[in-house]
């Protein structure tokens, strides 16, 4: 029997990441809650990407605890999450090949891969690009491919690092529509962004970072209307350098 | 440990390659370590097919200088040696690597040099005088320098001429460490003298400015002999087939084939298997 | 004197089959070289990728040694194989000295470091791009090797061609371990060496022209195929 109970929330306790004696990330306590959209905000160099990579398990924290719901194996935890990077990694293959590769790595059989790839492409309007080499796609197309590729693995938890930065407004809107589809599907999303408009429209919860520290967290409404810290206020008033 | 691993890996690789090798059509073959002169002169092209036709044994010839050919046999990598340096051959026998030496044929060495003949030795009949003159005038001379039969003969000729090579050698004396053909190419290009066996010379196609300057001296005699590698030293030696090759070489039939080989009407090798002193 | 006309007539003679052994010499050359390069690829590509992706003590010295071995003198490789395969050597029992297999082994040894070294560099570069994605997919470094080798395929074709160039041009090693036996271990390059020493320079030159032409065809074919493939896959 497949275990279908959620592995969330993901709880972080006293997380610190140090490289060469420099403390790059510090999170006293927070959690990623099931079926919520968490947006990670903060100026440049605040540690947003590092936070995502630590949560996703790409970086091992120097100290602290990071726990999913008890009773899930490491492999299960890994299988149930995915990440889309700021600069999407495009394999030197066709668009379809990018899907089937990810699905193959996740252990799907040959027929299943092909079926899931075609379904996902159809779902996100990428079918016309199926046989194009991934690396000649436009920036927006590449970003959509990366998100759809991650989504094809049907993760419970999806991290997205600046999915709309460097995209023109049209492409950014298309990406936002994709994110809406994923939310409707019941996926838990954790995203960093520079786009305050997107954050306001999209976020359920906000995590605000400054200088590597998690300074403020809570429901989006509260954060945008009554920020607690001076740094958050300055950030929302565009007074902090990004 | 590492060495063992390496050897195992190499053995595995090599064995893997055997799967790709050409199917060995010739089940019966022997390996003959011989000299560049017998090969470069083209003698083997008529000799070997005649033997194979008669016996069904294929002969694989590795053509090297006499010294190297004898060393190849000393490692057990050949079944028969067919070379031309009697002293080295007798040493080989004395060391127990050979079974018995059979004289097969002879030809002669010649001194070749540029047509202009800067040493002024052309037409001489006494090779010792010619060598002495070359050393005195320090005209360019190309030596094989590879312990081959020809090289051995050359070194002996300097001795006979009373030239102490160690004392007089200089720029004029150039050891190139290569086969006869390469040595002739070099001598031609440098306008230098050299010692060659007559067979290679006759078959050599790039004579250019080179001509024979001294020939016909008894001291230029060049004897070829064949020996079976001692199967008691190396059990892998194909004694029966190897001996069959030698027996055929010295048989009237083999001797006749040797005598029949000619280039432009000139006979290159003279069979003398029946000469007990050869 | 060497004249163009004599080269052309020598070329005509060998191509028209006047020299009966010629085609078997070409076939043997191709067989030895292609086999050696193919096997070196089968071993060297994964080995190079492993070296790119694993971290262990002594890795850097190994990389330096392999980079150095790219310039391993063929005669030394030939001598090593000769001493090992000789009846008096440790592998003498195999009876493989003066065989095509011995030549393949020598060329394998010459080509392997080139393929390993160039593959390591290529795969290491690609890994820096793919690392996050593969880790995110839950695939480790070793598990990523097939993906990386496949995605680097167009660069790796060039790597294989470098190996092929080294093998097909080589004469020092195969002369020693093959013995240049007529009809058995005589290849294009050893024939050229032999004809040169016989003073038949037009024939040697004609053989050289044929060798270069064949190498050119193989390279052109491989390069063309990989360029078209790269274009289709949008790769570099």
């Amino acid at each position: 029997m497949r275990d279908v109970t959620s592995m969330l929330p993901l709880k972080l306790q006293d997380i610190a990441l140090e490289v060469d004696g420099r403390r790059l990330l510090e999170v006293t306590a927070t959690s990623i809650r099931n079926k919520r959209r968490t947006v990670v905000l903060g100026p440049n160099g605040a540690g947003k990407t590092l936070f995502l990579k630590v949560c996703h398990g790409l970086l091992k924290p120097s100290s602290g605890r990071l726990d999913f719901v008890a009773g899930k194996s490491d492999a299960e935890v890994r299988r149930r999450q995915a990440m889309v990077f700021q600069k999407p990694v495009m394999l030197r293959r066709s668009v379809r090949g990018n899907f089937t590769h990810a699905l193959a790595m996740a252990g799907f059989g040959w027929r299943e891969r092909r079926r899931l790839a075609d379904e996902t492409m159809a779902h996100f309007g990428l079918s016309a690009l199926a046989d194009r080499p991934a690396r000649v796609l436009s920036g927006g197309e590449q970003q959509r491919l990366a998100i759809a590729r991650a989504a094809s693995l049907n993760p419970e938890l999806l991290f997205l690092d600046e999915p709309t930065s460097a995209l023109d407004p049209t492409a950014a809107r298309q990406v936002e529509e994709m994110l809406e589809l994923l939310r409707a599907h019941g996926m838990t999303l954790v995203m960093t962004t520079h786009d305050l408009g997107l954050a306001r429209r999209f976020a359920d919860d906000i995590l605000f970072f400054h200088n590597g520290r998690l300074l403020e967290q809570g429901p989006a409404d509260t954060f945008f209307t009554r920020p607690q810290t001076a740094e958050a206020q300055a950030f929302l008033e565009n007074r902090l350098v990004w | 440990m590492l060495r063992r691993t390496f050897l195992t890996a190499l053995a595995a690789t090599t064995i893997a390659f055997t799967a790709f090798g050409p199917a060995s059509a010739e089940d019966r073959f022997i390996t003959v370590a011989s000299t560049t002169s017998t090969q470069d002169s083209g003698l083997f092209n008529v000799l070997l097919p005649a033997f194979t036709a008669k016996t069904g044994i294929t002969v694989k010839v590795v053509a090297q200088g006499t010294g190297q050919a004898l060393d190849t046999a000393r490692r057990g990598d050949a079944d028969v040696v067919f070379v031309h340096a009697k002293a080295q051959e007798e040493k080989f026998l004395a060391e127990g690597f050979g079974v018995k030496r059979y004289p097969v044929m002879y030809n002669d060495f010649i001194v070749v040099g540029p047509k202009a003949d800067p040493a002024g030795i052309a037409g001489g009949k006494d090779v010792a005088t010619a060598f002495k003159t070359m050393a005195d005038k320090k005209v360019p001379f190309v030596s094989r320098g590879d312990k081959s039969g020809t090289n051995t003969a050359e070194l002996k000729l300097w001795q006979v001429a009373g030239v102490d090579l160690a004392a007089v050698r200089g720029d004029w004396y150039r050891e190139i460490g290569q086969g006869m053909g390469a040595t002739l190419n070099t001598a031609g290009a440098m306008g230098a003298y050299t010692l060659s066996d007559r067979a290679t010379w006759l078959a050599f196609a790039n004579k250019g400015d080179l001509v024979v300057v001294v020939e016909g001296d008894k001291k230029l005699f060049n004897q070829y002999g064949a020996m079976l590698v001692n199967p008691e030293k190396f059990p892998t030696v194909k004694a029966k087939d190897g001996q069959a090759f030698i027996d055929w070489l010295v048989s009237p039939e083999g001797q006749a084939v040797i005598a029949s080989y000619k280039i432009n009407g000139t006979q290159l090798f003279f069979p003398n298997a029946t000469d007990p002193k050869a | 004197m060497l004249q163009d006309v004599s080269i052309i007539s020598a070329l005509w003679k060998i191509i028209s089959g006047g020299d009966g052994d010629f085609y078997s010499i070409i076939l043997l050359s191709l067989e030895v070289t292609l086999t050696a390069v193919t096997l070196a690829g089968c071993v060297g590509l994964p080995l190079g990728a492993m070296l790119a992706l694993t971290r262990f003590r002594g890795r850097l010295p190994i990389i330096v040694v392999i980079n150095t071995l790219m310039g391993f003198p063929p005669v030394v490789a030939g001598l090593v194989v000769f001493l090992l395969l000789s009846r008096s050597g440790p592998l003498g029992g195999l009876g493989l000295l003066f065989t095509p297999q011995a030549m393949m082994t020598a060329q394998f040894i010459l080509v392997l470091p080139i393929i390993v070294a160039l593959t390591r560099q290529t795969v290491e570069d690609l890994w820096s791009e793919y690392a996050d994605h593969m880790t995110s997919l839950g695939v480790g470094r070793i598990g990523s090797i097939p993906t990386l080798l496949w995605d680097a395929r167009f660069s790796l074709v060039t790597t294989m061609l470098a190996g092929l160039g080294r093998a097909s041009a080589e004469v020092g090693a195969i002369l020693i371990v093959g013995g240049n036996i007529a009809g058995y271990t005589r290849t294009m390059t050893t024939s050229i060496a032999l004809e040169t020493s016989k003073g038949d320079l037009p024939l040697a030159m004609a053989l050289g022209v044929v060798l270069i032409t064949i190498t050119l065809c193989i390279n052109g074919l491989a390069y063309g195929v990989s360029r078209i493939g790269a274009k289709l896959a949008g790769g570099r």
Side-chain angles (χ1 to χ4, degrees):
Chain A
M1 276 296 286
R2 260 299 264 288
D3 178 6
V4 291
T5 60
S6 174
M7 65 175 185
L8 295 170
L10 165 62
K11 291 186 172 166
L12 288 83
Q13 190 74 44
D14 296 321
I15 291 287
L17 179 69
E18 287 178 4
V19 176
D20 299 333
R22 278 182 56 212
R23 180 160 288 209
L24 299 180
L25 188 69
E26 190 176 325
V27 176
T28 313
T30 192
S31 59
I32 306 291
R33 294 192 285 158
N34 193 17
K35 297 198 191 291
R36 301 278 285 186
R37 290 168 294 177
T38 305
V39 169
V40 182
L41 288 177
N44 263 346
K48 304 188 296 288
T49 300
L50 290 181
F51 174 73
L52 249 55
K53 285 189 171 179
V54 167
C55 289
H56 189 44
L58 295 183
L59 290 174
K60 206 174 139 46
S62 317
S63 62
R65 295 181 55 86
L66 191 141
D67 297 305
F68 288 94
V69 167
K72 306 286 180 190
S73 70
D74 286 355
E76 182 75 3
V77 164
R78 167 59 53 208
R79 198 187 61 72
R80 288 219 200 168
Q81 55 177 319
M83 180 161 173
V84 176
F85 300 95
Q86 182 169 6
K87 187 177 181 306
V89 176
M90 294 288 106
L91 301 192
R92 289 156 173 78
R93 306 168 187 225
S94 68
V95 169
R96 180 185 285 110
N98 269 270
F99 282 100
T100 52
H101 174 265
L103 290 162
M105 296 296 116
F108 288 95
W110 193 83
R111 277 164 186 276
E112 197 72 349
R113 274 178 233 168
R114 176 94 187 188
R115 186 180 65 76
L116 283 170
D118 286 346
E119 272 180 25
T120 313
M121 285 187 288
H123 189 65
F124 292 107
L126 293 166
S127 299
L129 303 176
D131 295 315
R132 295 268 299 281
R135 293 169 61 82
V136 302
L137 300 181
S138 71
E141 288 167 335
Q142 290 196 355
Q143 191 62 263
R144 283 161 60 210
L145 164 55
I147 296 172
R149 185 176 62 189
S152 72
L153 303 169
N154 196 22
E156 186 183 343
L157 172 61
L158 177 62
F159 297 97
L160 301 121
D161 194 4
E162 301 281 2
T164 59
S165 73
L167 296 187
D168 62 54
T170 315
R173 195 162 55 248
Q174 286 176 319
V175 166
E176 203 174 328
E177 282 162 11
M178 287 182 84
L179 297 178
E180 188 52 42
L181 282 174
L182 297 178
R183 188 200 60 80
H185 189 69
M187 223 171 264
T188 305
L189 303 170
V190 182
M191 174 177 94
T192 67
T193 186
H194 269 130
D195 183 346
L196 277 179
L198 173 64
R200 283 178 204 275
R201 288 193 297 278
F202 187 73
D204 295 321
D205 296 320
I206 296 287
L207 298 176
F208 176 71
F209 281 79
H210 187 256
N211 280 343
R213 294 180 56 208
L214 175 59
L215 278 191
E216 198 169 329
Q217 54 182 313
D221 294 348
T222 320
F223 178 81
F224 285 119
T225 50
R226 293 187 301 281
Q228 304 294 305
T229 57
E231 288 86 351
Q233 276 175 20
F235 178 74
L236 289 176
E237 289 162 19
N238 257 333
R239 283 191 282 115
L240 283 187
V241 181
W242 291 16
Chain B
M1 179 59 205
L2 195 66
R3 183 169 172 269
R4 222 190 130 89
T5 317
F6 174 72
L7 284 180
T8 316
L10 191 80
T13 308
T14 318
I15 292 164
F17 282 130
T18 56
F20 296 92
S24 52
E26 61 291 304
D27 293 322
R28 280 181 80 190
F29 71 87
I30 57 170
T31 305
V32 175
S34 189
T35 69
T36 51
S37 53
T38 40
Q39 163 150 306
D40 290 359
S41 65
L43 172 67
F44 282 142
N45 293 345
V46 295
L47 201 56
L48 303 185
F51 172 69
T52 305
K54 168 115 178 156
T55 61
I57 302 169
T58 307
V59 182
K60 295 179 179 169
V61 175
V62 182
Q64 304 167 322
T66 292
Q68 201 190 348
L70 290 171
D71 278 342
T72 299
R74 280 194 182 92
R75 306 186 57 88
D77 293 323
D79 304 309
V80 171
V81 286
F82 186 12
V83 293
H84 65 131
K86 194 171 175 183
Q88 287 191 45
E89 291 162 49
E90 281 169 347
K91 182 158 168 277
F92 182 85
L93 275 181
E95 290 163 352
F97 287 106
V99 178
K100 179 171 186 271
R101 177 177 174 277
Y102 295 82
V104 177
M105 62 193 189
Y106 69 93
N107 64 357
D108 60 344
F109 293 113
I110 49 177
V111 181
V112 300
K115 215 176 276 168
D117 190 27
I121 55 174
K125 290 286 169 230
D126 181 15
V127 71
T129 312
F131 266 55
K132 183 90 179 61
T133 313
M134 286 192 289
D136 288 345
K137 294 191 177 171
K138 296 195 187 310
V139 290
F141 186 92
V142 179
S143 166
R144 293 274 296 269
D146 63 353
K147 287 194 184 167
S148 59
T150 307
N151 185 221
T152 307
E154 175 220 314
L155 293 175
K156 201 170 161 207
L157 286 172
W158 292 114
Q159 235 174 351
V160 170
V163 174
D164 182 2
L165 253 194
V168 302
R169 63 188 301 166
D171 268 357
W172 65 278
Y173 185 79
R174 292 155 191 177
E175 283 177 294
I176 65 165
Q178 297 196 60
M180 195 66 250
T183 304
L184 286 170
N185 277 332
T186 309
M190 285 181 175
Y193 292 87
T194 192
L195 184 74
S196 171
D197 66 284
R198 187 182 292 275
T200 306
W201 169 253
L202 286 175
F204 187 67
N206 187 34
K207 294 191 177 76
D209 216 21
L210 292 176
V211 292
V212 178
V213 287
V214 180
E215 61 185 329
D217 189 328
K218 266 212 168 103
K219 291 190 274 297
L220 289 169
F221 185 72
N222 180 21
Q223 176 67 41
Y224 288 80
M227 292 178 285
L228 181 69
V229 179
N230 194 346
E232 284 170 24
K233 286 253 183 193
F234 301 102
T236 49
V237 166
K238 293 167 180 158
K240 198 167 140 277
D241 289 351
Q243 189 61 46
F245 178 60
I246 297 174
D247 289 345
W248 183 82
L249 279 180
V250 300
S251 72
E253 190 186 337
Q255 297 272 294
V257 175
I258 291 170
S260 72
Y261 182 58
K262 293 186 170 112
I263 290 181
N264 296 333
T266 314
Q267 182 174 345
L268 270 70
F269 295 98
F270 300 86
N272 66 342
T274 49
D275 181 351
K277 283 188 300 227
Chain C
M1 273 276 63
L2 189 58
Q3 279 161 8
D4 300 349
V5 181
S6 48
I7 295 176
I8 291 165
S9 67
L11 252 180
W12 175 246
K13 190 179 139 211
I14 53 183
I15 291 171
S16 63
D19 194 333
D21 298 336
F22 176 63
Y23 286 100
S24 65
I25 288 176
I26 291 185
L27 282 180
L28 179 69
S29 299
L30 288 176
E31 186 177 352
V32 167
T33 302
L34 292 179
T35 309
V37 173
T38 306
L39 252 80
C42 292
V43 176
L45 292 174
L47 210 62
M50 295 263 279
L51 202 56
L53 299 177
T54 52
R55 294 291 177 271
F56 56 90
R57 273 174 72 96
R59 176 177 173 268
L60 287 181
I62 287 180
I63 288 175
V64 171
V65 166
I66 288 176
N67 285 346
T68 309
L69 287 181
M70 286 205 283
F72 199 42
V75 276
V76 179
L79 191 60
V80 169
V81 175
F82 175 85
L83 291 174
L84 291 173
L85 293 184
S86 165
R87 286 286 182 195
S88 305
L91 300 176
L94 299 174
L96 284 173
L97 192 65
F98 304 141
T99 63
Q101 288 75 31
M103 299 195 287
M104 292 173 191
T105 306
Q107 293 201 338
F108 175 84
I109 289 175
L110 286 173
V111 170
L112 188 63
I114 292 188
I115 294 183
V116 171
L118 297 181
T119 303
R120 182 199 63 80
Q121 190 61 56
T122 305
V123 169
E124 213 167 290
D125 292 348
L126 196 60
W127 173 247
S128 67
E129 184 186 331
Y130 281 19
D132 278 345
H133 179 61
M134 297 305 291
T135 314
S136 173
L137 290 172
V139 185
R141 286 164 173 266
I142 301 298
S144 299
I145 288 178
T147 301
L148 292 164
L149 287 180
W150 177 252
D151 277 39
R153 58 199 178 277
F154 305 116
S155 310
L156 293 178
V157 167
T158 311
T159 297
M160 294 296 287
L161 287 180
L164 185 72
R166 168 102 151 151
S168 65
E170 193 280 318
V171 64
I174 56 171
L175 200 53
I176 296 175
V177 303
N180 192 22
I181 297 167
Y184 186 59
T185 56
R186 185 162 298 168
T187 66
M188 298 285 293
T189 52
T190 61
S191 295
I192 293 170
L194 177 67
E195 293 308 332
T196 305
S197 79
K198 281 158 116 178
D200 197 342
L201 303 190
L203 181 54
M205 196 62 219
L207 286 166
V209 169
V210 173
L211 175 60
I212 291 168
T213 309
I214 291 174
T215 313
L216 188 74
C217 290
I218 295 176
N219 272 277
L221 204 68
Y223 188 70
V225 166
S226 89
R227 283 301 301 181
I228 292 168
K231 205 157 240 172
L232 291 178
R236 69 179 123 156

